[in-house]
Amino acid sequence: MATVFMKWLERRPQDYDRGIQLLTLGKLGSLQAQIVHHLIFEETRVLEIGCGTGELTLIMAQAGAEVTAIDISPPMLAEAERKVDQAGLADRVEFKVLDAALVGDHFDGGSFELIVSSLTFSEMTTQVRAYVLKTCLTLLAQGGRLAILDEVLPEKLAARLFYSAVRIPLRFLTWLLTRTTTHPLRDFTTTLSHAGYTTEVIASELGGSLQLMIASPGKEPGGMAFPRTVLGRLQHHTSLRTLLIDIWATFFRILPPYPKIEPGLYAVGRPDPNSVVLVTGNFDLTVRRLVQAIEGKVSAWVLVVDSAGINVWCAAGGGFLNAERVIGALRVSELEEIVHHRDLILPQLCANGVDGWLIRREASWEVHWGPVRAEDLPDYLVAGKDKTDAMRWVRFPLKDRLEMVTATLGFYGLIILIPVAIFLRELFWPIFISLVGLSYFYAVIHPWLPGRDGLMKSLPLALIALAGLATYVLLWEPLPWPRIFNWSLGLIGLSVFTAAELQGMSPRMRGEQANWGWEVIIVAALGLTYWLVPQALGWR
Amino acid sequence: MTEGPTLRSLIGEHWNLARTLRKLEIRFDPERCSGVWECYEVCPVDCWEPDYEGSVVIFHHGERCIACGACVLQCPEGAIELEVPGG
Ligand code: SF4
Ligand code: SF4
């Protein structure tokens, strides 16, 4: 019995791989790929503590690193060695059977630019952990960093509950199947800080329980001091100010004041001289959406160019954002002193006003037109600045349409509803409901309404509105003719107004200003009808 | 007589601009095109298609054009123009 039990307890390398795969729901690999993406360059000298079966070792070697990989278990190391040999990368990797606690005895100080460790620190006792962290400080070369990928106990209550509900049964199952398990680290950033590191969590998976942390030796906030011209680090946050701006932008986006941020060079995450440079305008919402989209995924320099607080497309179209402004911002920020490359990523939507060739010629920076939407930036960068068609084309999905309708209603709603509230108080609610209902209805069915521009689309919209009125009259409340007449005119007017105004909000239509003239004519005609027809029919 | 722009002239100007914007059409000169595909790279509504064999581009979806002017500005060869046809 005992031998059977011991046999069962014995952990084979293949089991380990499968167990980890199961435990991390396959997410470990994507975080390991991020280590390679952010930290591995040609000939980076890496020490990997606890290489296990060599998954990370292999991809680091493939990316050009020179790896020294240690592990305490000979069968695991043998498996890792087999994988690396098979890939023909044996000359890039040196394997050593070694206990992590002994690393200080086997390597010279300053030998490594990067020390990585995947799911190993969580296996150590507290004391060993502190000792290894201290030793790593001496093993790291100047500017070197420690990348730790490990399981942590989430800090937020909700995340913890999720963690317990999902992880514990999963761990038990995994143990049964493969005798593999992990123990989450508790409050590891504090441990790192006590050991003398500044830590940043640059990515996480599984509700924050699997984290990739990058620790740099040094205590000062931000790890290393930023170059002189950097205004600071942009971080995604919510505060009363952002809340007020969001409310303003939701309802009154088209009205000044446009919320803006100070133009200049900023850091997102922990950028270094090889990090990408993203250019954007200084509309507060644009910058915050950009930060939200990349934070935790990419470290970058963000060059915020003065666009008068207007979004990049409109600013470039209106002449507020142009090549000269970008070149000026490049000069002032002394960016060429800070990064080692000459690649700028500009939002594609400012290509209508920013002359890329002028920047290339006058400032000797290469211009890349990034994706239309900030959310696509991480994928675009991972793909090596390669844009898929979906990243290139402007769409006008429901979410954007609703957003735009709300922004338009905030402004025009006031113009229409305030006079109504004063002069036609008894009709306020019916008019309010018609206006709001018609606008959102239009936003929803916009793509399916026939007609190429807003004015043409207002015709079917008006017909639908009239059909709605007819249904109401037939089924619920038989209104007298004069009121039906008034309501019909009102609904036609609102339809024209809604459809024509919203055209200006759609990025896929043009020349909406030409509608204004027609709107005035149609509304005047409706007004005239309102006065003349009842007189002719003798209603008044 | 008033000097400078009056409200009427401003509205008139705006109106004319909007009308012009509606009528603008792309004029593409394939002879000058060197096939850098910047136009394809920047067009937000997929008007241009690279012709991988011929090393030029094709203006294949003209009806979608919103006259944003991006391709005109980014074409290094001046092969693209936005014009009011016949005007
Ligand atoms: S003007 Fe704009 S929409 Fe028209 S083809 Fe050029 S880039 Fe595309
Ligand atoms: S940008 Fe100009 S030169 Fe380049 S492919 Fe387009 S039309 Fe041709």
Side-chain angles (χ1 to χ4, degrees):
Chain A
M1 188 62 211
T3 46
V4 173
F5 183 63
M6 277 167 66
K7 194 88 202 120
W8 181 75
L9 266 182
E10 186 188 345
R11 192 167 75 166
R12 288 170 304 153
Q14 304 90 293
D15 284 340
Y16 179 79
D17 269 351
R18 287 207 316 253
I20 292 300
Q21 188 75 12
L22 188 62
L23 258 182
T24 62
L25 303 172
K27 299 291 187 197
L28 192 67
S30 77
L31 291 181
Q32 290 181 335
Q34 294 222 29
I35 296 185
V36 173
H37 178 66
H38 290 294
L39 301 167
I40 302 289
F41 303 97
E42 204 58 42
E43 295 183 1
T44 306
R45 286 168 294 147
V46 186
L47 171 66
E48 185 179 8
I49 298 179
C51 65
T53 58
E55 295 283 315
L56 178 58
T57 325
L58 181 66
I59 57 173
M60 290 194 297
Q62 279 165 341
E66 286 174 2
V67 189
T68 305
I70 65 166
D71 200 287
I72 196 171
S73 148
M76 293 280 192
L77 260 188
E79 169 69 9
E81 215 163 344
R82 189 189 61 76
K83 280 184 197 163
V84 170
D85 275 350
Q86 213 168 45
L89 293 167
D91 54 334
R92 289 256 174 87
V93 186
E94 187 190 336
F95 288 101
K96 253 194 167 94
V97 177
L98 190 65
D99 189 334
L102 301 182
V103 282
D105 306 343
H106 284 78
F107 305 106
D108 297 331
S111 306
F112 302 102
E113 287 143 337
L114 178 68
I115 299 180
V116 298
S117 173
S118 170
L119 295 177
T120 305
F121 273 93
S122 50
E123 305 266 302
M124 300 174 189
T125 63
T126 312
Q127 222 172 10
V128 171
R129 205 177 288 147
Y131 177 77
V132 172
L133 286 176
K134 208 177 90 198
T135 315
C136 286
L137 278 178
T138 64
L139 292 180
L140 282 173
Q142 188 68 32
R145 289 185 282 186
L146 181 61
I148 297 165
L149 174 49
D150 224 314
E151 193 180 354
V152 297
L153 198 62
E155 270 164 37
K156 293 206 187 81
L157 184 67
R160 245 180 224 220
L161 289 176
F162 169 81
Y163 178 86
S164 315
V166 176
R167 305 293 294 159
I168 290 172
L170 192 61
R171 263 163 72 181
F172 183 66
L173 181 72
T174 310
W175 170 252
L176 280 183
L177 293 174
T178 65
R179 262 73 57 213
T180 302
T181 194
T182 55
H183 314 272
L185 289 163
R186 261 170 208 269
D187 210 8
F188 194 50
T189 32
T190 314
T191 314
L192 281 164
S193 145
H194 288 161
Y197 295 86
T198 317
T199 314
E200 192 189 7
V201 177
I202 74 155
S204 68
E205 289 283 1
L206 305 177
S209 65
L210 194 63
Q211 293 188 340
L212 173 56
M213 292 160 272
I214 296 190
S216 318
K219 284 266 187 201
E220 73 268 48
M224 51 177 172
F226 283 131
R228 185 174 43 84
T229 53
V230 178
L231 291 179
R233 176 180 289 149
L234 292 171
Q235 275 171 316
H236 179 61
H237 67 286
T238 28
S239 64
L240 188 63
R241 180 172 175 274
T242 64
L243 194 73
L244 289 176
I245 291 177
D246 285 342
I247 293 174
W248 180 263
T250 305
F251 294 105
F252 305 108
R253 180 172 312 180
I254 28 191
L255 291 178
Y258 306 117
K260 46 185 155 183
I261 78 161
E262 168 89 14
L265 182 62
Y266 293 87
V268 172
R270 187 185 295 276
D272 57 30
N274 293 310
S275 300
V276 291
V277 179
L278 307 171
V279 178
T280 187
N282 75 330
F283 179 36
D284 179 277
L285 219 60
T286 310
V287 177
R288 276 195 288 133
R289 283 186 178 169
L290 172 71
V291 173
Q292 195 178 0
I294 64 172
E295 191 172 53
K297 298 190 178 127
V298 188
S299 286
W301 301 107
V302 174
L303 187 63
V304 177
V305 181
D306 186 0
S307 65
I310 305 172
N311 72 64
V312 288
W313 197 2
C314 298
F320 294 97
L321 179 61
N322 55 28
E324 284 83 0
R325 288 238 168 144
V326 176
I327 296 173
L330 281 170
R331 298 274 183 259
V332 173
S333 64
E334 297 172 23
L335 200 55
E336 43 213 70
E337 311 285 315
I338 296 173
V339 296
H340 290 163
H341 59 81
R342 289 287 174 277
D343 294 299
L344 289 183
I345 298 172
L346 270 76
Q348 182 196 313
L349 285 187
C350 72
N352 56 342
V354 177
D355 184 345
W357 294 98
L358 195 68
I359 298 177
R360 293 181 182 111
R361 240 184 6 249
E362 304 272 301
S364 316
W365 282 80
E366 178 52 29
V367 169
H368 304 268
W369 299 108
V372 164
R373 282 165 303 274
E375 303 95 271
D376 290 332
L377 269 168
D379 287 342
Y380 165 78
L381 293 171
V382 168
K385 305 201 189 82
D386 195 16
K387 225 169 11 173
T388 63
D389 283 342
M391 294 180 185
R392 188 188 319 272
W393 299 334
V394 169
R395 280 169 295 158
F396 198 36
L398 183 62
K399 187 174 135 279
D400 291 6
R401 297 202 298 273
L402 294 178
E403 202 180 309
M404 283 306 176
V405 168
T406 313
T408 324
L409 270 182
F411 173 53
Y412 287 103
L414 286 186
I415 294 187
I416 295 178
L417 293 175
I418 288 180
V420 169
I422 296 173
F423 299 111
L424 287 168
R425 190 171 299 154
E426 69 285 359
L427 285 180
F428 180 81
W429 287 112
I431 291 185
F432 178 88
I433 290 168
S434 312
L435 176 66
V436 172
L438 214 53
S439 299
Y440 283 106
F441 177 69
Y442 177 68
V444 172
I445 61 164
H446 171 277
W448 296 281
L449 277 184
R452 183 166 183 227
D453 65 15
L455 213 55
M456 302 307 274
K457 280 176 190 280
S458 68
L459 188 69
L461 186 67
L463 289 177
I464 296 174
L466 290 179
L469 179 65
T471 319
Y472 179 79
V473 170
L474 291 176
L475 294 185
W476 282 284
E477 199 187 339
L479 296 171
W481 280 109
R483 288 197 61 195
I484 296 182
F485 173 74
N486 287 350
W487 267 108
S488 308
L489 290 184
L491 285 176
I492 296 174
L494 283 181
S495 303
V496 171
F497 174 79
T498 306
E501 270 321 308
L502 284 177
Q503 171 173 346
M505 302 270 135
S506 160
R508 305 206 59 146
M509 297 188 193
R510 60 159 135 164
E512 73 278 6
Q513 295 92 336
N515 285 341
W516 290 346
W518 287 112
E519 274 175 71
V520 172
I521 293 171
I522 294 173
V523 170
L526 290 172
L528 220 56
T529 322
Y530 175 77
W531 284 116
L532 295 181
V533 171
Q535 278 175 15
L537 295 180
W539 286 343
R540 286 207 188 97
Chain B
M1 285 291 283
T2 44
E3 294 289 319
T6 59
L7 186 62
R8 237 178 89 186
S9 75
L10 279 179
I11 291 178
E13 217 174 272
H14 201 91
W15 170 249
N16 282 334
L17 187 79
R19 284 170 58 101
T20 316
L21 201 62
R22 292 201 141 193
K23 290 197 206 132
L24 285 176
E25 274 180 21
I26 289 286
R27 227 192 47 199
F28 170 47
D29 181 358
E31 293 292 302
R32 301 175 82 161
C33 174
S34 61
V36 291
W37 299 333
E38 283 285 296
C39 47
Y40 166 67
E41 194 63 19
V42 297
C43 178
V45 290
D46 182 30
C47 289
W48 300 92
E49 175 140 301
D51 173 356
Y52 292 96
E53 264 113 68
S55 278
V56 286
V57 295
I58 303 165
F59 188 55
H60 77 142
H61 273 312
E63 80 289 353
R64 296 186 183 161
C65 175
I66 51 172
C68 72
C71 57
V72 180
L73 185 60
Q74 306 305 334
C75 173
E77 309 294 343
I80 313 174
E81 271 165 291
L82 268 173
E83 286 179 346
V84 177

